[in-house]
Amino acid sequence: MRRIERDYPIASVGGDIGLPADDPECPARGNTERTEFGRVAMGAVLDMLEEAKDLDSPTPRWVQSIGNQRGVGSQPTSTLMHCPDERPSARSPSSCKPDASRRQSKRADQPAPEVCVQRLEGISKLTGRERYVDDLPFDDALWGMTVRTRVPRGRIRQIKFGSAVDWAEFVVVDHRDIPGPNEVFLIERDQPVLAADYTRHMHEPVVLIAHPDREMCRRAVADVQIIVDEEPPALDYRLPAGPEQIQRNNDNLFKVLKIEKGNTERALEQAAHVVEGLYETGAQEHVYIENQGMIAWVEDGVVVTKGSMQCPYYVVNALKHALNRDESQVRVIQTPTGGGFGGKEDYPSNLALHAALLALKANRPVKIIYDRPEDMAATTKRHPAQTRHRTGFDSDGKLVAQHIDVTMDGGAYVTLSPVVLSRGIIHAAGPYACDNVLIDGRAVLTNAVPFGAFRGFGAPQTLFALERHMDVCAAQLGIDPIELRRINLIRDGQTTATGQVINDGTDRTAVLDQAAQAIRFREKQRAHESFNATEPYLRRGVGLACFWHGAGFTGSGEVALKSRLRVQGHADGRVEILSSSTEMGQGTWTVFTQIAAEHLGIAPADIIITTPDTSRVPNSGPTVASRTAMVVGRLVERACDDLRQSLGLDNATRGEAVTAAIRAWHNTNADQSLFGEAQYEKPPGINWDDDTYEGDAYGTYGWATYAAEVEIDLRTYTARVIDFVAVQEIGKVLNNTLARGQIQGGVAQGIGWALLEECKWELGGMKNCQLTNYIIPTSADLPPIRVAFLENAYAHGAQGAKGIGELPMDGPGPAIANAIADAIGVHANIIPLTPERIMGMMDQTHA
Amino acid sequence: MPDSNNINVEFTLNGNPISIDVAPRDRLLDTLRYALDLTGAKEGCGEGECGACTVYLDGVPANSCLIPTYQVSGRAIDTIESIPADALSDMLASGATQCGACTPGVVMTACWLKRHPELLKTHTVRELMAGNLCRCTGYDGIIDGITDGCQSNYDRGNAS
Amino acid sequence: MKVLSPRSLDEACALLARDPAPRPIAGATDILVHWPDNLNAKAETETYLDISALSDLRHITREDDVLTLGALTTYWDVIQSQACRDDFPMLLDAARQVGSVQIQSRGTWAGNIVNASPAADGVPVLMAYDATVVLRSKSGEMEVRLDEFYSGYKQMQRRPDQLITAIRIPRRTYDTQIFEKVGPRRAQAISKVGLAITHSTEGWRVVAAAVAPMILRCKSVEALLESGAPVRSPDDLAQAIDQDVAPIDDIRSTREYRQRVLARLIYHDLKGVLPAFS
């Protein structure tokens, strides 16, 4: 009897099934193993470097790392606790090796941990009590819906309203109802709130409809016909636009940027080796599980919009501009936000404007909730990108020249493309030292739905190209890929492509070595050799990627933002944090609370934080760019200092002395408000020139190496990740559980982008806009993602933190592509590496 | 036999009997959210992919977006609102929730699984949780929260 | 829309005799997908026959020579069934590949048959086990072989007045049972290629999914296997497969991929099983 067993044990054979010992889905491992192996202080890492040099060492000494705060979860009634009270649980082993670790005990010589808090709103979310925008009761609200052009480019000739519904029952809005300029306020103002006479993409909104019954809205939308005189759309960003496709200047370019260091052409001429490569990454849909939604109403002459968003003040600015109102006449309130990843950075401005226009006309609250197909079709995606590398090495494998050419698809409007391009090209040369670097970048107009912010913001695209290219170079040079990276990793005192001197004390080769060691890179290479030689159709490979991610806004961005934050001392002695930084799952509330509690020496329970309401909170800048904990968190600290100063206390005053002083202040200043404030101040020694693209592109960088092991089934050309290790130096880890979750979640998105997630296009619109056909990973598609942090405090981040949110998106793509190339020898230079694409690559390789 | 446009449905909701008039076209998810103000279950996709709308139908997880409300007549429905907070400390500690949108569905499947550790003799946690898409955690926080809770009645280390 | 809720099978059959016949609905996992959006004018006037309360139709019955699944038997019922586990393990394999637990607990095998998707997960294994479909109407009962049930895309033997009441699977000893589902991911996936192979004293059954307008037996491949002709690479299967299937390019995959993967699965899965495969 023969049966093909799938990867799980079948019931009939119960416990007898022999799973391969390292099958990550084996219940004995996959379901139970701790998914992290802790974090290591920088000093400790330096201690272990001697050991780390020999990657083949079978039992590397692993430094015990400090405790995982998860053990304190045994306090079900309270979501707050102080870590110093924590004792290692009985289940915790006292020490462990990297790949067998569970909970780990504290290092005796670690400084006492800071205040550490479990996710503040965690229980509310776990019990389903958290109220998102579509959960809010609004009895007299109308449902709003959108009529779109369905034509990628052309002149709108006529709008036909049919007779399937009684139009007298509906509120209908078009561009003539916009009080101010018909422009969505962003970097440029080229995008109309509602298309008036021209459409530049398939899902351009034209007419808005509101009705008490959602189903009636659906019918009404289907009853409107937009007649368009079609014009030739530009649909492939990789090709130069033909004359009939030109729609902006004479070249359809949104933005052109250049970084220049040394003399790249001459260095390439003189290089011992020159390696070229062309790399491509596809669009990616955010798939936040909560679709976009917004409610708008008018209250005492103030337009209020409330909904799912990352950046309340972006929405304020958009409302002010198009509704022709001053700031006192608009108010924006965030609702708990079910994921953003960049997808709720700029698009909520469009949605808020739509809801507000309907509410103004209806004189009633209007609620627009996109369903999944509309959300996927009409909102932004990650920019597709193509990157060309021409790289020179000397005879020792040292980088002498990097010529990098980056093209990104911007879609139909500028939106955030210039800054996505900017971050993309700044990261394009990677964490390596090279004296001659020339990077050309351009963002191109096409008649696709506009591309926008997505975790990583351009860097994942260029880092995919770079790190895949490094393996291609290693193969051509005949140098081991780890060694090639080690030779070239930037060292303290050396400069980046923009001329920024890196001098942060981080040992980047230690990050590389630890990742290689943790995944047992050499061991696996050897094991794969015999595995691949004997298995009939399974092939395994291992690959890694070294990368960096700048934290905070690019260049002079933080200076321009002038972010502000307030803390308020309440009469009961509690302190409230007033910030426009939003919680969307990444942990803003928890981390801000920790920072304030630690800084003032008071209990986390005495800190208040809630969803931002722009009538109460100052503009702390957008919740993007891995800036919240590091940059805005620092403002929390400084605002707390300012509060103490207002109370006549010095910064050494902590705890009850602070709360007592707050209460006392209120006793003598009844009915008045007590605030501490802070505004962003540029750290000393940071300089950036926007014209020459030279200088300190970011205040600091996170450094990482990710390693992946893949298995490819040659029957089906399907690749899957069977082991994944993520090692990074991110300054100080503020909250281990949250930080680990950020990394694992980002890696999962990266694995999806690398293997599964493919937007299929038709006339610039996404064809597969439903979760059945746009494939994100399920739990069954992922291995446990093993995470390690190296800590090296950043002087200008809150409690030494650097940004962390975007970093994990950069590494999985190239690490996986390198592993696939390792396994089956294909030119895995395009992602996603779907089975169909791998099949084509194998054909090419064997042709 | 109901053969009209409105149907009276009597069923058990979170342990309590309930009677409600629904249209034949009403989905259980909408009835729960918009008629009964039980907004814990979310609509993530409307096609049974994401699992954010998971409820128990007679004790087994099901997508409430794919259940016509009239069909639950005489049956038992349990929603996330029936899960007590103190059952969730493992999941809180393990980082099982981030943005929270998938979480009610995740918790429903997870709690069902915790109550049926015998399922782990034939299935992996990862297979059983595959009906709940999460975009934030990479699932590790969720899996950890479940296996922590299963430890008392299931020997995780020697599972096979 | 209207819903009819019969309390007995006879009543259901009587209602199905109406003109136009109401559309049967049970687990609703296909019909309710994007329900509000799909509820167009036609669906709004349609009448549904809800059989979900006819609990007599939910059973798994093992007799000496046949295993019967009632029309309301769900995937989850089969996953939990010792009888299925013992005799027809591929039913469990296939059931576990259907959507997720949330779908498995609701979706029915009979629904999978009448939904008639070319990419169905339940149909290939049933067909490879020589299952038959019991159809009942006011005028009587008939039994149709599943491998003769479909005649084209969404075309099947069932008349509008007929209801599937049971699926019958002959109990046999199999020396080969192979089930493969190739989806875009490892769970919650719609099949890009499906394959079920059995061998018993009745001969070879090779059933392919998602490679033709309907799920079908690959008779040329079966004949090739019966012949014992040597197969030394997937290419040696290409001609037979070409005669049997007609895959297409669509949103989920390509013609080329489907055709080649089908050949590769058959080849690799039978290599080492059949002396002819080397």
Side-chain angles (χ1 to χ4, degrees):
Chain A
M1 153 101 182
R2 169 169 166 99
R3 290 184 51 232
I4 297 288
E5 299 288 359
R6 292 195 67 84
D7 304 285
Y8 43 73
I10 300 295
S12 55
V13 288
D16 298 327
I17 189 156
L19 284 165
D22 55 352
D23 184 335
E25 293 211 347
C26 170
R29 278 178 46 117
N31 289 330
T32 59
E33 184 171 319
R34 280 287 135 233
T35 49
E36 65 190 305
F37 48 93
R39 55 183 182 165
V40 183
M42 203 63 205
V45 169
L46 295 173
D47 291 344
M48 66 180 294
L49 269 183
E50 294 307 309
E51 307 283 333
K53 273 178 190 156
D54 178 13
L55 291 177
D56 296 338
S57 166
T59 50
R61 186 169 65 89
W62 189 256
V63 178
Q64 290 177 24
S65 63
I66 62 169
N68 173 352
Q69 284 108 17
R70 302 186 48 231
V72 292
S74 53
Q75 298 173 349
T77 52
S78 165
T79 58
L80 306 178
M81 76 282 307
H82 287 273
C83 281
D85 298 334
E86 183 201 347
R87 296 287 175 270
S89 82
R91 305 204 307 246
S92 306
S94 58
S95 70
C96 38
K97 292 173 197 157
D99 52 357
S101 77
R102 301 222 173 162
R103 291 202 182 80
Q104 294 157 5
S105 67
K106 263 177 243 176
R107 260 172 74 90
D109 56 348
Q110 280 292 319
E114 69 286 7
V115 173
C116 180
V117 175
Q118 283 191 330
R119 180 176 289 279
L120 285 182
E121 78 291 3
I123 285 294
S124 181
K125 285 175 171 172
L126 286 161
T127 56
R129 290 198 309 262
E130 194 83 335
R131 291 252 178 179
Y132 298 78
V133 58
D134 192 27
D135 302 335
L136 299 173
F138 253 92
D139 289 340
D140 60 341
L142 304 178
W143 290 96
M145 280 194 197
T146 313
V147 182
R148 304 178 186 279
T149 53
R150 311 284 175 192
V151 173
R153 183 187 173 201
R155 197 153 294 283
I156 298 172
R157 186 154 48 83
Q158 195 191 351
I159 301 171
K160 279 189 186 166
F161 292 83
S163 53
V165 298
D166 177 4
W167 286 101
E169 293 176 13
F170 291 84
V171 178
V172 179
V173 159
D174 67 19
H175 69 97
R176 292 165 299 182
D177 296 297
I178 301 169
N182 183 9
E183 298 165 351
V184 180
F185 186 90
L186 208 59
I187 294 174
E188 287 190 22
R189 297 169 197 174
D190 58 332
Q191 182 172 202
V193 179
L194 292 171
D197 53 7
Y198 204 83
T199 180
R200 289 199 192 279
H201 65 83
M202 274 191 66
H203 299 291
E204 188 108 55
V206 183
V207 172
L208 305 167
I209 287 166
H211 190 278
D213 185 309
R214 199 176 190 175
E215 183 52 34
M216 292 303 292
C217 277
R218 284 196 185 95
R219 289 184 197 184
V221 167
D223 201 29
V224 183
Q225 228 189 323
I226 315 283
I227 315 289
V228 178
D229 291 333
E230 298 188 30
E231 295 176 19
L235 296 174
D236 192 338
Y237 74 101
R238 297 165 301 188
L239 305 175
E244 71 289 351
Q245 294 169 318
I246 295 294
Q247 296 156 69
R248 183 181 163 103
N249 305 326
N250 56 4
D251 52 13
N252 274 1
L253 295 184
F254 282 138
K255 186 80 178 178
V256 176
L257 289 172
K258 186 190 283 289
I259 294 171
E260 205 164 1
K261 174 190 183 185
N263 188 333
T264 303
E265 272 313 312
R266 195 172 50 197
L268 281 169
E269 280 164 22
Q270 294 166 356
H273 309 275
V274 175
V275 184
E276 298 188 32
L278 180 64
Y279 307 91
E280 206 176 304
T281 58
Q284 186 180 23
E285 159 59 31
H286 304 84
V287 196
Y288 29 71
I289 299 297
E290 182 210 22
N291 289 319
Q292 305 245 7
M294 196 73 66
I295 301 174
W297 68 94
V298 183
E299 190 176 303
D300 303 327
V302 176
V303 170
V304 187
T305 67
K306 184 169 181 173
S308 187
M309 66 182 76
Q310 293 179 225
C311 311
Y313 275 93
Y314 277 14
V315 179
V316 166
N317 290 334
L319 293 173
K320 278 163 61 182
H321 184 71
L323 302 185
N324 202 16
R325 289 169 166 252
D326 67 34
E327 194 150 330
S328 66
Q329 294 170 305
V330 298
R331 177 180 168 198
V332 176
I333 306 166
Q334 188 223 8
T335 50
T337 295
F341 316 116
K344 293 172 184 171
E345 175 169 353
D346 59 312
Y347 197 85
S349 297
N350 303 40
L351 199 53
L353 281 164
H354 293 173
L357 288 167
L358 282 169
L360 280 164
K361 191 152 184 183
N363 205 23
R364 277 171 73 177
V366 173
K367 177 172 170 176
I368 303 181
I369 307 288
Y370 285 175
D371 62 15
R372 182 62 63 182
E374 182 171 26
D375 193 298
M376 290 181 112
T379 70
T380 59
K381 317 261 168 283
R382 181 185 302 287
H383 291 67
Q386 192 181 57
T387 303
R388 200 176 287 277
H389 274 264
R390 205 150 58 93
T391 311
F393 294 90
D394 70 13
S395 51
D396 298 326
K398 185 99 194 57
L399 275 168
V400 294
Q402 291 173 284
H403 182 199
I404 305 170
D405 187 274
V406 181
T407 305
M408 289 186 180
D409 187 349
Y413 295 106
V414 172
T415 64
L416 297 163
S417 292
V419 275
V420 170
L421 179 68
S422 166
R423 187 177 277 271
I425 65 162
I426 289 170
H427 285 78
Y432 301 113
C434 182
D435 290 335
N436 304 286
V437 183
L438 175 63
I439 306 172
D440 285 304
R442 66 198 66 76
V444 181
L445 176 149
T446 62
N447 295 97
V449 176
F451 296 97
F454 194 145
R455 195 177 206 164
F457 212 68
Q461 290 93 316
T462 59
L463 284 168
F464 169 78
L466 174 82
E467 279 302 284
R468 177 68 199 112
H469 186 61
M470 285 301 274
D471 264 32
V472 171
C473 293
Q476 287 206 18
L477 269 58
I479 300 180
D480 175 79
I482 296 178
E483 198 49 38
L484 184 68
R485 288 175 171 88
R486 194 202 314 277
I487 292 169
N488 289 294
L489 271 174
I490 198 164
R491 284 163 175 78
D492 272 8
Q494 294 182 313
T495 59
T496 69
T498 62
Q500 179 169 6
V501 181
I502 297 297
N503 212 344
D504 61 6
T506 294
D507 190 325
R508 283 160 285 275
T509 55
V511 176
L512 168 64
D513 290 338
Q514 290 219 11
Q517 195 174 28
I519 203 158
R520 292 179 294 162
F521 201 91
R522 304 291 185 219
E523 259 174 77
K524 279 187 171 155
Q525 278 183 323
R526 278 197 299 270
H528 293 164
E529 238 173 79
S530 59
F531 181 92
N532 292 345
T534 51
E535 276 292 320
Y537 51 77
L538 296 179
R539 299 289 179 272
R540 288 184 177 171
V542 63
L544 53 70
C546 255
F547 56 100
W548 60 336
H549 201 96
F553 259 41
T554 304
S556 48
E558 291 293 345
V559 175
L561 280 176
K562 297 189 186 70
S563 301
R564 292 187 300 126
L565 182 139
R566 280 177 155 188
V567 294
Q568 183 169 10
H570 287 287
D572 60 3
R574 291 190 299 166
V575 175
E576 180 171 6
I577 300 165
L578 297 169
S579 163
S580 68
S581 295
T582 51
E583 172 64 58
M584 50 182 155
Q586 85 286 39
T588 299
W589 288 4
T590 309
V591 164
F592 279 7
T593 298
Q594 262 182 226
I595 292 169
E598 164 72 17
H599 206 70
L600 294 172
I602 66 179
D606 289 331
I607 307 291
I608 303 169
I609 188 162
T610 184
T611 43
D613 173 342
T614 59
S615 70
R616 292 191 66 226
V617 302
N619 187 351
S620 317
T623 312
V624 302
S626 311
R627 65 185 293 275
T628 300
M630 177 180 105
V631 176
V632 188
R634 181 80 190 101
L635 298 182
V636 173
E637 293 181 333
R638 290 181 38 230
C640 288
D641 290 342
D642 188 55
L643 178 73
R644 275 191 284 231
Q645 202 171 7
S646 313
L647 294 165
L649 305 173
D650 63 20
N651 288 348
T653 312
R654 293 165 59 82
E656 178 56 25
V658 176
T659 47
I662 294 170
R663 286 193 293 267
W665 187 91
H666 280 281
N667 284 338
T668 53
N669 299 277
D671 302 326
Q672 291 188 50
S673 298
L674 170 67
F675 292 109
E677 287 201 22
Q679 181 163 351
Y680 177 79
E681 283 173 12
K682 189 173 69 129
I686 303 252
N687 296 295
W688 174 255
D689 187 329
D690 244 329
D691 297 324
T692 61
Y693 255 60
E694 285 175 330
D696 303 314
Y698 299 94
T700 186
Y701 298 83
W703 309 97
T705 299
Y706 286 3
E709 181 183 22
V710 301
E711 181 177 282
I712 295 136
D713 184 336
L714 292 182
R715 296 173 307 161
T716 63
Y717 307 98
T718 304
R720 67 163 171 141
V721 179
I722 56 175
D723 192 10
F724 200 97
V725 165
V727 179
Q728 49 257 304
E729 189 280 299
I730 54 155
K732 192 119 175 316
V733 174
L734 299 186
N735 182 309
N736 205 25
T737 305
L738 295 188
R740 178 176 57 94
Q742 282 292 294
I743 301 303
Q744 289 169 330
V747 167
Q749 285 180 347
I751 291 175
W753 188 45
L755 294 179
L756 305 174
E757 298 180 33
E758 185 168 35
C759 295
K760 307 211 170 157
W761 300 102
E762 189 168 57
L763 297 175
M766 185 175 170
K767 207 163 50 162
N768 52 333
C769 47
Q770 56 186 115
L771 289 186
T772 305
N773 291 324
Y774 183 82
I775 305 296
I776 67 168
T778 70
S779 52
D781 295 287
L782 298 174
I785 295 156
R786 301 192 280 141
V787 179
F789 296 115
L790 286 83
E791 296 190 301
N792 178 24
Y794 169 52
H796 305 293
Q799 296 184 356
K802 294 180 188 174
I804 177 176
E806 296 173 291
L807 176 87
M809 191 69 222
D810 298 337
I816 290 165
N818 287 338
I820 289 174
D822 177 52
I824 54 174
V826 295
H827 301 296
N829 298 346
I830 305 176
I831 54 171
L833 287 157
T834 58
E836 288 80 358
R837 182 164 278 145
I838 289 176
M839 179 179 83
M841 287 173 170
M842 289 188 72
D843 288 352
Q844 271 183 346
T845 308
H846 297 132
Chain B
M1 185 187 75
D3 188 351
S4 70
N5 272 335
N6 263 316
I7 305 175
N8 180 261
V9 183
E10 293 183 0
F11 63 106
T12 305
L13 179 59
N14 295 333
N16 301 310
I18 184 170
S19 169
I20 185 171
D21 285 337
V22 299
R25 45 165 294 158
D26 289 352
R27 303 179 304 171
L28 180 62
L29 175 62
D30 297 324
T31 305
L32 292 171
R33 290 178 51 81
Y34 300 126
L36 300 169
D37 199 32
L38 293 175
T39 55
K42 311 292 180 211
E43 173 157 351
C45 67
E47 54 178 348
E49 282 290 314
C50 74
C53 65
T54 300
V55 299
Y56 302 150
L57 173 62
D58 294 337
V60 184
N63 294 311
S64 63
C65 74
L66 297 183
I67 302 177
T69 307
Y70 72 80
Q71 274 196 353
V72 305
S73 174
R75 307 181 72 174
I77 295 293
D78 295 285
T79 69
I80 183 69
E81 284 81 2
S82 70
I83 306 285
D86 58 12
L88 302 171
S89 51
D90 284 329
M91 300 199 75
L92 178 65
S94 67
T97 183
Q98 288 189 27
C99 86
C102 76
T103 304
V106 165
V107 168
M108 291 303 280
T109 312
C111 287
W112 171 73
L113 208 164
K114 285 185 178 194
R115 277 177 221 160
H116 296 280
E118 72 278 6
L119 289 169
L120 296 186
K121 290 177 186 162
T122 52
H123 290 66
T124 64
V125 176
R126 284 183 182 270
E127 182 188 349
L128 292 168
M129 291 306 297
N132 292 93
L133 296 179
C134 169
R135 195 59 158 166
C136 293
T137 63
Y139 303 102
D140 284 310
I142 293 168
I143 307 286
D144 291 349
I146 294 169
T147 50
D148 283 357
C150 285
Q151 190 167 44
S152 55
N153 44 18
Y154 192 73
D155 185 358
R156 317 185 283 152
N158 297 315
S160 58
Chain C
M1 69 176 271
K2 277 206 302 196
V3 176
L4 309 173
S5 302
R7 279 160 300 193
S8 70
L9 188 52
D10 286 343
E11 193 183 343
C13 291
L15 291 167
L16 275 174
R18 288 185 180 181
D19 188 27
R23 183 180 183 192
I25 181 171
T29 52
D30 284 311
I31 292 178
L32 254 70
V33 166
H34 290 298
W35 182 238
D37 254 5
N38 289 344
L39 203 60
N40 51 27
K42 181 179 164 292
E44 189 70 0
T45 55
E46 194 157 16
T47 300
Y48 291 84
L49 181 80
D50 190 284
I51 59 167
S52 64
L54 302 180
S55 50
D56 288 352
L57 293 180
R58 185 172 176 184
H59 63 89
I60 297 172
T61 309
R62 176 156 58 176
E63 294 162 88
D64 284 348
D65 55 350
V66 68
L67 181 94
T68 306
L69 308 180
L72 291 180
T73 301
T74 65
Y75 303 106
W76 191 249
D77 293 338
V78 163
I79 290 169
Q80 303 288 87
S81 157
Q82 190 63 44
C84 295
R85 185 174 299 180
D86 292 343
D87 290 356
F88 302 103
M90 291 200 306
L91 294 182
L92 276 76
D93 295 353
R96 287 172 74 157
Q97 283 291 309
V98 174
S100 56
V101 170
Q102 290 94 322
I103 301 291
Q104 291 158 15
S105 68
R106 293 274 297 157
T108 64
W109 291 84
N112 198 237
I113 292 172
V114 292
N115 187 54
S117 162
D121 292 322
V123 174
V125 290
L126 290 174
M127 205 179 278
Y129 282 136
D130 272 356
T132 59
V133 175
V134 179
L135 293 163
R136 181 157 157 180
S137 72
K138 213 173 143 184
S139 50
E141 201 169 82
M142 59 187 271
E143 198 165 335
V144 181
R145 288 179 59 95
L146 187 54
D147 58 13
E148 293 169 358
F149 187 66
Y150 300 110
S151 54
Y153 180 69
K154 299 257 175 187
Q155 300 298 307
M156 62 197 117
Q157 298 289 331
R158 175 186 165 263
R159 297 193 314 265
D161 69 329
Q162 287 177 319
L163 190 69
I164 292 187
T165 55
I167 301 157
R168 290 162 57 82
I169 312 170
R171 292 182 69 193
R172 289 182 194 145
T173 302
Y174 290 99
D175 57 24
T176 303
Q177 302 180 66
I178 294 168
F179 169 72
E180 297 283 357
K181 168 174 170 175
V182 182
R185 67 184 160 206
R186 294 163 60 76
Q188 287 250 70
I190 293 177
S191 204
K192 296 196 289 192
V193 179
L195 173 67
I197 302 178
T198 59
H199 184 253
S200 69
T201 51
E202 301 291 312
W204 286 96
R205 300 289 182 270
V206 177
V207 181
V211 289
M214 58 189 180
I215 290 175
L216 44 71
R217 275 176 61 183
C218 299
K219 300 259 171 96
S220 307
V221 176
E222 289 176 4
L224 182 73
L225 299 184
E226 299 287 357
S227 76
V231 177
R232 295 194 185 84
S233 79
D235 292 342
D236 290 348
L237 293 162
Q239 199 186 347
I241 287 177
D242 209 37
Q243 286 167 12
D244 289 332
V245 304
I248 55 166
D249 291 337
D250 66 8
I251 199 166
R252 299 192 180 108
S253 190
T254 64
R255 188 197 68 78
E256 173 76 12
Y257 177 84
R258 290 175 154 123
Q259 185 125 358
R260 275 168 64 171
V261 166
L262 182 62
R264 296 171 78 85
L265 287 172
I266 295 173
Y267 172 75
H268 284 289
D269 290 355
L270 290 177
K271 196 176 163 185
V273 175
L274 285 181
F277 280 61
S278 58

